[in-house]
């Protein structure tokens, strides 16, 4: 997968997916599927457009993100995207009309453009039909179907809402892969080790939306898959501020300074205060058994 800035040269014909693709839910995956089909028909590569920064901060909206740019890149690569075309969303970009934005794609050998029925671009909010009229050739494929689950439209906003309610199983049913966080292992206070449950403390950006609670999960280290207990949020028993720490079951090694990917698969319980460290240790043992028996 190659990452290029909008306007930089691409080698050969491409089919472009238009959108932000902030979390690659089922609706996004359908766009990629259509683009791949068109690419096979025209012997082209698949390119996906996205912003390399958090555009929500510039728009002064809820600036939390389901996935950071680095995390999104790992998803795009796993889906077989050939090119990721990026732009920085700033005050200058915000001034572009839809046609001014789209004109920057005319320098490519376009074999198709794919977008959702509700997609719009530019300060004038040029809609999908306007995009189709702009690109007379190549053809523009508008995914008309509204992807729903239980009658509810799948969207990034819905994903965020479900995460805030600890509905990780529902979230994972809507995403292309289980919800995850990628971060560097940093030194913590070592409390877990004193209880016989050493944990890896994961550093993550402030913009990353992580649901508070204790979860079951998985990670892969050096090609080996391990099950996890992941605690996200404050540690009220020891008056520790918000953290993301993972008990990697069966792993014995040094991870300090390494970057790992942790996927959440099951909500176990809320984070609450224990009267003693012994009671916390007992609960952690129960959590461990729950994860291993799942």
């Amino acid at each position: 997968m190659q990452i290029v800035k909008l306007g930089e040269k691409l080698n050969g014909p491409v089919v472009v997916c238009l959108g932000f693709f902030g979390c690659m839910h089922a609706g996004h995956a359908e766009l990629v599927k259509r683009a791949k089909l068109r690419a096979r028909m025209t012997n082209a590569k698949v390119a996906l457009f996205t912003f390399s920064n958090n555009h929500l901060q510039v728009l002064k909206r809820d600036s939390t993100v389901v996935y950071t740019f680095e995390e999104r890149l790992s998803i795009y690569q796993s889906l077989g995207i050939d090119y990721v075309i990026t732009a920085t969303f700033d005050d200058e970009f915000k001034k572009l009309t839809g046609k001014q934005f789209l004109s920057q794609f005319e320098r490519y050998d376009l074999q198709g453009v794919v977008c959702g029925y509700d997609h719009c671009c530019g300060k004038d909010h040029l809609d999908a039909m306007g995009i189709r009229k702009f690109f007379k050739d190549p053809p523009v494929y508008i995914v008309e179907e509204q992807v729903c689950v239980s009658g509810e439209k799948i969207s990034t906003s819905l994903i965020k809402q479900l995460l805030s309610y600890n509905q990780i199983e529902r979230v994972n049913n809507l995403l292309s892969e289980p919800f995850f966080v990628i971060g560097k292992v940093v030194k913590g206070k070592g409390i877990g080790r004193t209880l016989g449950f050493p944990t890896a403390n994961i550093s993550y950006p402030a913009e990353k939306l992580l649901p508070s609670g204790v979860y079951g999960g998985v990670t892969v280290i050096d090609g080996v898959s391990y099950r996890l207990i992941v605690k996200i949020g404050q540690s009220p028993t020891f008056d520790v501020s918000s953290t993301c720490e993972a008990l990697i079951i069966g792993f014995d090694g040094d991870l300090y300074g390494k970057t790992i990917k942790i996927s959440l698969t099951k909500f176990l319980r809320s984070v609450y205060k224990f009267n003693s460290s012994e009671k916390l240790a007992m609960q952690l043992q129960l959590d461990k058994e729950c994860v291993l028996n799942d």
Side-chain angles (χ1 to χ4, degrees):
M1 186 177 74
Q2 186 176 345
I3 305 167
V4 298
K5 292 182 179 180
L6 181 60
E8 288 184 350
K9 183 178 179 180
L10 298 179
N11 296 319
V14 294
V15 176
V16 172
C17 292
L18 291 180
F20 174 57
F21 305 103
C23 64
M24 198 53 72
H25 54 60
H28 296 148
E30 182 62 27
L31 297 184
V32 174
K33 179 181 176 182
R34 298 290 181 91
K36 284 185 173 182
L37 178 61
R38 175 63 182 175
R40 285 196 297 269
M41 293 171 56
T42 57
N43 196 28
K45 301 289 188 181
V46 176
L48 178 147
F49 173 80
T50 190
F51 295 118
S52 58
N53 64 323
N54 186 352
H55 70 293
L56 298 174
Q57 291 180 336
V58 181
L59 294 172
K60 294 180 172 55
R61 299 177 184 171
D62 171 19
S63 59
T64 60
V65 296
V66 177
Y67 289 125
T68 65
F69 179 58
E70 290 72 19
E71 290 170 339
R72 287 190 281 121
L73 289 179
S74 73
I75 298 174
Y76 305 154
Q77 185 164 23
S78 71
L79 292 175
I81 301 298
D82 300 296
Y83 295 103
V84 177
I85 302 173
T86 68
T88 301
F89 190 89
D90 53 21
D91 290 334
E92 286 302 311
F93 190 97
K94 194 165 61 171
K95 296 176 183 177
L96 296 178
T97 65
K99 291 182 178 180
Q100 287 173 330
F101 165 66
L102 296 175
S103 66
Q104 299 181 69
F105 290 90
E106 291 186 307
R107 65 195 66 188
Y108 301 131
D109 182 3
L110 290 177
Q111 296 301 309
V113 176
V114 181
C115 68
Y117 72 96
D118 57 351
H119 178 67
C120 61
C121 59
K123 67 178 183 180
D124 52 345
H125 304 289
L126 186 68
D127 63 13
M129 292 306 298
I131 294 172
R132 174 173 281 171
K133 290 179 181 178
F134 179 86
F135 290 111
K136 296 179 176 61
D137 184 30
V140 174
Y141 298 88
I142 301 173
V143 178
E144 301 285 358
E145 298 87 354
Q146 187 179 80
V147 182
C148 299
V149 173
S150 301
E152 198 166 22
K153 177 188 173 185
I154 298 176
S155 65
T156 300
S157 297
L158 175 61
I159 301 293
K160 286 185 174 183
Q161 183 183 56
L162 292 176
L163 284 173
S164 68
Y165 293 146
N166 308 116
Q167 299 291 310
I168 196 65
E169 290 92 343
R170 283 189 63 191
V171 167
N172 289 345
N173 286 334
L174 305 181
L175 298 177
S176 61
E177 65 175 278
F179 175 77
F180 66 87
V181 56
I182 294 177
K184 183 177 290 187
V185 179
V186 297
K187 287 187 177 294
K189 294 184 177 297
I191 296 172
R193 187 172 298 277
T194 65
L195 301 175
F197 296 93
T199 58
N201 288 268
I202 313 301
S203 174
Y204 59 93
E207 66 180 4
K208 170 75 175 183
L209 175 62
L210 283 179
S212 177
V214 179
Y215 297 83
V218 294
T219 190
V220 176
I221 301 172
D222 297 329
V224 180
S225 180
Y226 296 91
R227 295 195 180 189
L228 309 166
I229 301 171
V230 187
K231 192 279 296 177
I232 300 170
Q234 294 185 332
S235 297
T237 303
F238 299 100
D239 194 25
V240 176
S241 59
S242 185
T243 61
C244 174
E245 49 186 315
L247 168 61
I248 307 175
I249 301 172
F251 177 78
D252 184 18
D254 185 4
L255 292 175
Y256 287 130
K258 294 185 178 180
T259 298
I260 63 174
K261 174 182 176 179
I262 289 176
S263 300
L264 307 184
T265 58
K266 182 178 182 179
F267 176 70
L268 299 178
R269 59 180 174 85
S270 299
V271 176
Y272 41 80
K273 186 173 183 177
F274 292 87
N275 293 329
S276 67
S277 57
E278 290 77 15
K279 289 187 177 180
L280 173 57
M282 290 174 62
Q283 180 60 58
L284 289 174
Q285 182 60 38
L286 292 174
D287 295 337
K288 180 178 179 180
E289 292 172 4
C290 182
V291 168
L292 291 176
N293 293 329
D294 187 22

